[in-house]
Amino acid sequence: MKTAIYPGSFDPVTNGHLDIIQRASKMFDKLVVVVLINPLKSYSFTIPERCEFLRKATADIPNVEIASFDGLLADYFNQRQDVDVIVKGLRATSDFEYEFQMAHTNKDLNPRAETVFIPASLKTTFVSSSMVKQVAMFGGDLSKYVPACIHEEIRTKLTHDFDEAKALAEARTHE
Ligand code: PNS
């Protein structure tokens, strides 16, 4: 039995992530999608929210497990003795340098942790979580970028946060 792990921030999961999940879940017996933290990034959604979005978006894929971990991917890989390989999606050329660096760092930290890359499909290669968040904040159409089952939750939270931030900025200009 071959098990792969698909790590990411998933803040939030997009159709690009879902495309990789669908394709990887056909290549391996089991796919563990793990929500991790990049301590240099700030996130819009909590880890439980991001896991719940992933659970909803992958509810129809039986061999997918959703997990989260607060630490190094190399350490999580070490703890999960059932996991054989790391899977990452690669969009156009923009991801290459960063992903290449991460794959080598993970292997350096844990020699068992090999990474395989799946090219993003042409339809989703330009889609990113940060782009999705901007579209949502300004009330744009999310339907092509995010699984339908989580549109409303994403839109509600992001427009609420955005309205609060604008109100705060407005209040500060009048201080
Ligand atoms: O979706 P992202 O933001 O590109 O995912 C990056 C993520 C969260 C997978 C990466 O930052 C990560 O693995 N974080 C956990 C800490 C770690 O192991 N970093 C890589 C070695 S420097």
Side-chain angles (χ1 to χ4, degrees), residues 3-169:
T3 299
I5 191 168
Y6 178 37
S9 296
F10 305 109
D11 185 53
V13 59
T14 66
N15 285 344
H17 297 128
L18 195 57
D19 171 63
I20 299 294
I21 293 172
Q22 282 160 344
R23 288 158 65 203
S25 68
K26 290 182 190 139
M27 294 174 198
F28 299 95
D29 300 298
K30 183 171 168 189
L31 182 70
V32 181
V33 181
V34 62
V35 177
L36 292 168
I37 296 164
N38 175 345
L40 306 176
K41 266 190 184 177
S42 64
Y43 292 110
S44 301
F45 298 97
T46 64
I47 289 189
E49 281 172 330
R50 287 182 259 156
C51 287
E52 192 49 30
F53 292 154
L54 278 161
R55 261 183 220 107
K56 284 187 180 167
T58 61
D60 60 340
I61 317 176
N63 61 336
V64 168
E65 173 191 330
I66 309 300
S68 64
F69 186 67
D70 182 7
L72 287 172
L73 173 59
D75 289 340
Y76 186 67
F77 197 97
N78 203 34
Q79 280 179 23
R80 297 276 312 226
Q81 286 298 317
D82 58 326
V83 169
D84 302 289
V85 72
I86 298 166
V87 161
K88 293 297 300 266
L90 215 48
R91 286 170 301 184
T93 52
S94 54
D95 284 338
F96 182 76
E97 205 171 321
Y98 174 62
E99 292 296 344
F100 191 79
Q101 225 178 359
M102 266 205 299
H104 279 295
T105 306
N106 286 324
K107 182 145 171 66
D108 209 44
L109 292 169
N110 179 350
R112 202 172 66 82
E114 288 288 359
T115 301
V116 296
F117 293 108
I118 299 180
S121 62
L122 287 176
K123 245 168 71 181
T124 59
T125 195
F126 64 95
V127 177
S128 69
S129 296
S130 55
M131 185 213 78
V132 160
K133 286 192 270 191
Q134 289 189 49
V135 174
M137 282 174 181
F138 286 108
D141 179 9
L142 285 178
S143 60
K144 281 189 280 184
Y145 313 128
V146 172
C149 56
I150 60 173
H151 281 181
E152 267 331 294
E153 283 165 278
I154 288 175
R155 184 184 302 292
T156 306
K157 164 125 192 205
L158 290 177
T159 48
H160 174 264
D161 289 358
F162 191 42
D163 288 346
E164 265 192 352
K166 278 194 291 191
L168 200 65

